[in-house]
Amino acid sequence: MSDTALLSIGHRALPDASLPGVADARLLPDTEFQEAWASIALPTDMKDLMLRGAVAGIQLRQAVPFDAVPLHGITLLTGEPGVGKTTVARGLADKIARGLPSDPPWVFVEVDPHALASASLGRSQRSVENLFGTVLDETANVGPLVVLVDEVETLLTDRAALSMDANPVDVHRAVDAALVGLDRLARRHPHVFVLATSNFPDAIDPALTSRADTVIRVPLPDRTARRWILEHTVTAIAAAFPGARSLLTADSLDVAADHAEGLDGRRLRKAVAAACSRNPEAQGDPNRVTVQDLLDAIGHARETS
């Protein structure tokens, strides 16, 4: 390894989270990510399809020449804020490591695109080149790797839509460097899998979209998913505040799920928490939350969304 602040843990070297652009680095499988996967409600079979696609793609890339099947190992998750793109991406990383066990074990690296940006001419490009060309490349030299690039439009902005003000040349070069880095990883390391998320897919450079093996739009939760999210959230609260179990009747959950149409999963979970403070007489005691409190909180969430 070079002097890129890689930290040895067991059989693997993890990038130091203090490095520019590295938000998180850990070994896989990971219990926290396993729980994240279980906590996300998506339409029937969507999670299974994601996992099968990822596993098949990794195995194809390891056995078939890139020029014959030009898979880059990139999955792009798009959708509105709060639908769980980042959470499901972390969970998918864990599922990949469990489904394709390895020695040395898989490593997970989350990229923070905002930390790579700089007002100084040329610095953004150098930061991107160091991250992809050195840190991630050296990590992948040792064993399999999952990379998560959250809010990828920050790093791979659509160059055609850029104004010619405010260092456009540096932004172009940074985007070019990221694309070159992704291409290099794809060709050199068939055991690297990249997950990218975006709330604004129209702002992503088309060159990244064309490289993605799969583009998945994560939808707002349907009625079945909303009901599951409500039950999951209330159950967690009731484990600490038993009085909240009054919300767990079938009729209550059905009515609340109907009222919550249009809410994303994050807003829906926050609405359950907000319900605990709706009634002034309850003095903020979650044990005294009522179904009407929940419906009122959901209504307020819809009005403000």
PDB file of all heavy atoms in Angstrom, residues 67 114 204 216 239 276:
ATOM      1  N   ASP A  67     -14.853  -6.446 -22.888  1.00  0.00           N
ATOM      2  CA  ASP A  67     -15.170  -6.020 -24.247  1.00  0.00           C
ATOM      3  C   ASP A  67     -16.335  -6.808 -24.836  1.00  0.00           C
ATOM      4  O   ASP A  67     -17.020  -6.327 -25.747  1.00  0.00           O
ATOM      5  CB  ASP A  67     -13.942  -6.163 -25.148  1.00  0.00           C
ATOM      6  CG  ASP A  67     -12.851  -5.171 -24.770  1.00  0.00           C
ATOM      7  OD1 ASP A  67     -13.206  -4.065 -24.308  1.00  0.00           O
ATOM      8  OD2 ASP A  67     -11.663  -5.497 -24.908  1.00  0.00           O
ATOM      9  N   HIS A 114     -19.482  15.818  -1.708  1.00  0.00           N
ATOM     10  CA  HIS A 114     -19.344  17.219  -1.315  1.00  0.00           C
ATOM     11  C   HIS A 114     -17.926  17.522  -0.809  1.00  0.00           C
ATOM     12  O   HIS A 114     -17.434  18.635  -0.967  1.00  0.00           O
ATOM     13  CB  HIS A 114     -20.362  17.563  -0.232  1.00  0.00           C
ATOM     14  CG  HIS A 114     -21.789  17.328  -0.654  1.00  0.00           C
ATOM     15  ND1 HIS A 114     -22.487  18.219  -1.428  1.00  0.00           N
ATOM     16  CD2 HIS A 114     -22.618  16.285  -0.425  1.00  0.00           C
ATOM     17  CE1 HIS A 114     -23.700  17.751  -1.644  1.00  0.00           C
ATOM     18  NE2 HIS A 114     -23.812  16.577  -1.052  1.00  0.00           N
ATOM     19  N   ILE A 204     -27.678  14.425 -13.557  1.00  0.00           N
ATOM     20  CA  ILE A 204     -26.518  13.539 -13.689  1.00  0.00           C
ATOM     21  C   ILE A 204     -25.988  13.581 -15.114  1.00  0.00           C
ATOM     22  O   ILE A 204     -26.761  13.598 -16.083  1.00  0.00           O
ATOM     23  CB  ILE A 204     -26.893  12.087 -13.326  1.00  0.00           C
ATOM     24  CG1 ILE A 204     -27.387  12.010 -11.883  1.00  0.00           C
ATOM     25  CG2 ILE A 204     -25.715  11.151 -13.533  1.00  0.00           C
ATOM     26  CD1 ILE A 204     -27.931  10.647 -11.518  1.00  0.00           C
ATOM     27  N   ILE A 216     -32.571   1.937 -11.313  1.00  0.00           N
ATOM     28  CA  ILE A 216     -33.787   1.546 -10.587  1.00  0.00           C
ATOM     29  C   ILE A 216     -34.389   2.781  -9.942  1.00  0.00           C
ATOM     30  O   ILE A 216     -33.705   3.482  -9.189  1.00  0.00           O
ATOM     31  CB  ILE A 216     -33.483   0.492  -9.505  1.00  0.00           C
ATOM     32  CG1 ILE A 216     -32.908  -0.772 -10.148  1.00  0.00           C
ATOM     33  CG2 ILE A 216     -34.738   0.165  -8.689  1.00  0.00           C
ATOM     34  CD1 ILE A 216     -32.395  -1.790  -9.137  1.00  0.00           C
ATOM     35  N   ALA A 239     -42.275  -0.981  22.127  1.00  0.00           N
ATOM     36  CA  ALA A 239     -41.343  -1.795  22.907  1.00  0.00           C
ATOM     37  C   ALA A 239     -40.819  -1.015  24.107  1.00  0.00           C
ATOM     38  O   ALA A 239     -40.491  -1.589  25.151  1.00  0.00           O
ATOM     39  CB  ALA A 239     -40.182  -2.251  22.024  1.00  0.00           C
ATOM     40  N   CYS A 276     -46.887  11.441  18.962  1.00  0.00           N
ATOM     41  CA  CYS A 276     -46.701  11.320  20.412  1.00  0.00           C
ATOM     42  C   CYS A 276     -46.758  12.675  21.119  1.00  0.00           C
ATOM     43  O   CYS A 276     -46.850  12.720  22.356  1.00  0.00           O
ATOM     44  CB  CYS A 276     -45.383  10.624  20.717  1.00  0.00           C
ATOM     45  SG  CYS A 276     -45.293   8.925  20.095  1.00  0.00           S
TER      46      CYS A 276
END
